[in-house]
Amino acid sequence: MITFNILTIVVALALCGCCMQPIEGQQPDRKFSIDFQNDTFTMDGQPFQFISGSFHYFRALPESWRNILRSMRAAGLNTVMTYIEWSLHEPFPGQYRWDGIADLEKFIETAQSENLYVILRPGPYICAERDMGGFPHWLLTKYPAVKLRTYDIDYLREVQKWYSTLMPRVERFLYGNGGPVIMVSIENEYGSFQACDRLYMEYMKNLTVHFVEDKAVLFTNDGPELLECGSIPGILPTLDFGITNNPGQFWQRLRKFLPKGPLVNAEYYPGWLTHWMEPTARVDADMVVSSLRLMLNQKVNVNFYMFFGGTNFGFTAGANDVGPGKYSADITSYDYDAPLDEAGDPTPKYFAIRTALIEYFGDPGVPAPEKLPKMSLDTVWLERRGSLISKHGRKMLAKQMVAAPKPVSFEALNQHSGFLLYETTLAAGLNRDPYTLTVEHLHDRAYVHVDDVFQGILSRETNVYSMPLSVGLGTKLQLLVENQGRINYNIPNDFKGILGSVTVDSKPLNNWTITCFPLDSYQYMENFLNQQSNADEEDLNDAAAQIYYGTFMLGNETIYDTYLYPSEWGKGLVFINGFNLGRYWPLAGPQITLYVPRHILTKGSNHIVMIEYQKKIQYPYVQFIDKPIFN
């Protein structure tokens, strides 16, 4: 087991690595560095200015990476910036994934082949509107009291293990080693985090230097007012800000921490994020270009966040601590009003930016992209196959069932996503009608049942934790609790499930049976669909979380991207050909349609599964249309 003494040795080794000098006469041929005297980066001794765009490889299928990267190069960008998502690559301790959408090395190689340099942001915390800010959920399972993003022994142990696995994979791509990676970040907007743990930031610096050495430039990034806790002595500080008529005011603040050196806007916002139940965020294209020109006139290095946003497939969308309940979940789309839309198509904003960049830097020699065709399909009818909480549903879809005197969290059961079903028996002799059910510290949404009949919803988002129930409804209380996404910004320890007491007229309920439905493996769903129950009593027509199934055919014509349009549905989850598209919620909006990449579709028969959480669908059908709908 690692101890503080060993951690100290790790830090010392990292510091030694930082101090190592190349042998005389063996200076590397490639060098990306900082010329402080002339306030610029240099590449092999020559001044260099990067114009970059953020594109997170985990928000698009690998088959579309090249097309998106080529469109970025065609816009006049010379660099792509991406986060590295720890939770994607290590979903469970010591179980690593580097294939498919997690093939980071292929992404870097593809960017290099499209004549783009790369900036890597390994975090380990990335925010990015992702579940738990990119941290794996199991950190909270393994260490319930862990203090993430601090000099916490348990946390640092896991970070060191992760970096020891990650960094050897990317070292060959560092510019000094012949690759395209010119910069690597240390942490992410740490000045926004209340801990302000300088010992932790020094540790992250030493750990990163140990692997990167001088083969790429290291940097931090923060909002203009937050450099005090976010910057690290000896590391390049950079800023994050959006459209402005006076960027000079921000650079004045930066110069207090960086008297000389290149100016960098590491997150220049041409769009913004959107939560459920709020208007779609939009940023004016003319204002984006106007602010861009001001920065380019000052020789600023700019990274657009985002240039391509993509999609929060599956359960990857996060949340923020805003709204009535200090919780608002991010929508499935990460379109972000970016220059390239969710499908990777150029927008008017794209062409406005491209025009400006060509004026400053010349034509990149790559033709401007055209919007790819989209397709509509005939109406697809589905049939109801039962409920998640039926006996058959539990048998096929549940991962485990446990007994506990009081409710426990998702993380205590080592569950990342989906639902927990909490069940107990109501006390006999209730004489108040209606009585009041209250769930304390609900994270995030409970579908309340009595004797398998859906009664209503409690919600963290809308700050609704109590509801009246009639005495005559039954004796078995069932709370199907949904994880809507862990908070991604500033609050990393966002445990899920019922974290407090459940009371009836202020009297706590005990002795719970808890059933786990992570819904993270489609194999369980296939088992459910292929082994139908014959018992009529298992139908549970009045329960929430009803499961629907349908098929649709695609002929020999070319398959294009499309958009699922669940106009008559309430809130739920969609699988197409076993691929988890993500959450839909047209009742709340603003996102109505779900983006369907052509790469998950196939000629011949395709199948669709929808889990509708709360609405009873009398005539279950969906449409596939050729454009997205956002209210």
Side-chain angles (χ1 to χ4, degrees), residues 74-132:
L77 306 183
N78 58 16
T79 305
V80 59
M81 180 184 287
T82 187
Y83 283 124
I84 299 173
E85 188 173 44
W86 183 2
S87 58
L88 170 67
H89 296 290
E90 192 180 5
F92 292 96
Q95 298 179 21
Y96 296 100
R97 180 187 174 193
W98 302 101
D99 62 337
I101 206 168
D103 195 341
L104 173 63
E105 293 167 88
K106 178 181 177 180
F107 179 81
I108 297 173
E109 290 167 348
T110 305
Q112 184 175 25
S113 70
E114 294 297 330
N115 296 314
L116 290 165
Y117 296 105
V118 177
I119 298 175
L120 293 180
R121 298 175 69 177
Y125 161 79
I126 64 173
C127 184
E129 287 70 64
R130 299 288 278 188
D131 184 85
M132 203 167 151

Side-chain angles (χ1 to χ4, degrees), residues 227 237-239 250-258 263:
L227 289 158
T238 70
L239 295 185
F250 301 136
W251 304 127
Q252 289 176 7
R253 296 169 193 166
L254 178 67
R255 284 303 184 204
K256 296 178 182 179
F257 297 85
L258 181 72
L263 301 177

Side-chain angles (χ1 to χ4, degrees), residues 77 79 144 229 319 357 439 458 540 574:
L77 306 183
T79 305
C229 289
L357 292 181
V439 180
L458 303 177
L540 296 189
V574 182

Side-chain angles (χ1 to χ4, degrees), residues 434-493:
Y435 58 86
T436 300
L437 171 72
T438 301
V439 180
E440 298 175 341
H441 305 298
L442 170 64
H443 289 193
D444 301 306
R445 192 173 179 89
Y447 302 89
V448 179
H449 296 70
V450 179
D451 284 359
D452 297 324
V453 177
F454 177 43
Q455 302 294 336
I457 297 169
L458 303 177
S459 170
R460 181 186 185 188
E461 280 185 300
T462 54
N463 204 29
V464 177
Y465 298 108
S466 297
M467 64 182 295
L469 291 173
S470 173
V471 172
L473 295 176
T475 60
K476 182 172 64 174
L477 177 67
Q478 301 159 292
L479 303 174
L480 185 64
V481 175
E482 176 193 359
N483 168 9
Q484 293 184 267
R486 293 175 181 83
I487 290 177
N488 52 253
Y489 181 76
N490 216 16
I491 303 177
N493 295 52

Side-chain angles (χ1 to χ4, degrees), residues 192-350:
S192 304
F193 192 54
Q194 69 274 10
C196 195
D197 189 333
R198 299 188 188 283
L199 188 60
Y200 163 62
M201 287 296 278
E202 189 68 19
Y203 177 85
M204 288 306 306
K205 167 189 170 181
N206 296 332
L207 182 62
T208 309
V209 167
H210 175 69
F211 291 104
V212 177
E213 298 180 317
D214 63 348
K215 306 300 184 182
V217 169
L218 301 178
F219 71 101
T220 60
N221 65 297
D222 287 284
E225 305 285 354
L226 301 166
L227 289 158
E228 180 67 34
C229 289
S231 60
I232 307 172
I235 299 297
L236 177 72
T238 70
L239 295 185
D240 299 343
F241 61 86
I243 57 175
T244 176
N245 293 324
N246 182 21
Q249 63 181 317
F250 301 136
W251 304 127
Q252 289 176 7
R253 296 169 193 166
L254 178 67
R255 284 303 184 204
K256 296 178 182 179
F257 297 85
L258 181 72
K260 296 288 290 180
L263 301 177
V264 177
N265 188 341
E267 291 189 10
Y268 175 50
Y269 305 113
W272 196 243
L273 63 99
T274 301
H275 304 110
W276 296 108
M277 295 188 280
E278 69 181 27
T280 305
R282 300 293 182 198
V283 178
D284 181 75
D286 291 338
M287 296 178 70
V288 170
V289 173
S290 176
S291 294
L292 174 64
R293 289 181 181 275
L294 292 175
M295 288 188 287
L296 295 180
N297 289 338
Q298 297 175 308
K299 303 298 182 183
V300 173
N301 301 269
V302 178
N303 174 67
F304 291 92
Y305 187 102
M306 301 289 300
F307 202 85
F308 165 78
T311 308
N312 294 311
F313 294 119
F315 296 109
T316 59
N320 287 293
D321 61 332
V322 297
K326 298 296 290 179
Y327 178 86
S328 292
D330 301 315
I331 63 173
T332 300
S333 172
Y334 203 61
D335 178 272
Y336 212 84
D337 196 30
L340 293 172
D341 68 15
E342 186 176 6
D345 290 327
T347 65
K349 187 179 292 182
Y350 172 94

